[in-house]
Amino acid sequence: MSNPLTLNAPADEPLMEYSRDFDFPVHDVFRAHVEPDAYAQWIGPQDVTTRIDRFEPRTGGSYRFVHSRGSDEYAFRGVFHTVRQDEFLLQTFEFEADPEVVTLEYSTFTALPGGRCRLTGRSLYPSVESRNQFLANGMEEGMSDGYNQLDEFLARNGSTG
């Protein structure tokens, strides 16, 4: 895709910051983050399918989704702490196989000239080691794949304004 993911993981801090531009309006990029059917079509690596078990994108709502790759399943869950339409998401994120590691994540959606959007975010981990484990397990590639799939999803589904 034409807009690569930028990811920064400072060596001595338990966080990760990322940014990705999209050639689609803020509303469309945000919508794809909060509508369960849309979310399932783009989240994660290209070689997984996603099942949404629960998805309540409102302040205080929760979510759970499962990635499947062959007979293997990987479940994730969390709570939406703040949802501001077309602007901001604050949520927790937990890989159910590692319940000791819950991250606090925020995403900001910023309008760019020409009807484009910049997504920026930060994930705060309990430790540098837990963050590094996620990175070692392919998180950057999975994010990049997912955002490329989001581009494809938005191109197929057009703008909803």
Side-chain angles (χ1 to χ4, degrees):
M1 289 292 149
S2 60
N3 300 311
L5 171 70
T6 301
L7 188 126
N8 179 34
D12 58 347
E13 297 180 49
L15 61 89
M16 180 188 68
E17 298 170 314
Y18 60 91
S19 177
R20 172 67 152 73
D21 289 356
F22 293 90
D23 296 331
F24 300 93
V26 164
H27 176 77
D28 293 345
V29 177
F30 184 87
R31 177 183 54 86
H33 280 76
V34 297
E35 288 185 1
D37 292 339
Y39 191 75
Q41 292 185 52
W42 67 265
I43 190 67
Q46 292 179 338
D47 65 342
V48 301
T49 57
T50 302
R51 179 184 79 237
I52 303 289
D53 290 341
R54 181 177 58 260
F55 208 78
E56 306 163 328
R58 59 175 168 75
T59 299
S62 63
Y63 68 90
R64 182 177 192 269
F65 64 90
V66 180
H67 285 322
S68 297
R69 181 183 289 129
S71 62
D72 295 329
E73 290 193 338
Y74 311 92
F76 304 88
R77 65 181 173 200
V79 174
F80 292 99
H81 290 270
T82 304
V83 177
R84 288 197 308 261
Q85 181 70 36
D86 296 343
E87 291 179 18
F88 183 77
L89 295 171
L90 176 66
Q91 64 194 60
T92 59
F93 178 85
E94 176 184 345
F95 176 41
E96 287 184 0
D98 194 3
E100 303 282 321
V101 179
V102 178
T103 63
L104 183 62
E105 303 187 338
Y106 79 76
S107 300
T108 301
F109 301 79
T110 304
L112 299 174
R116 300 174 67 239
C117 173
R118 176 166 295 144
L119 172 65
T120 56
R122 175 179 277 189
S123 299
L124 181 61
Y125 294 80
S127 67
V128 171
E129 294 76 22
S130 61
R131 190 260 337 256
N132 289 347
Q133 187 64 40
F134 271 86
L135 288 169
N137 286 330
M139 183 175 60
E140 184 172 3
E141 180 181 346
M143 288 177 69
S144 186
D145 281 357
Y147 290 143
N148 289 341
Q149 292 173 132
L150 176 52
D151 270 333
E152 294 166 6
F153 170 81
L154 292 171
R156 282 192 314 272
N157 290 283
S159 179
T160 61

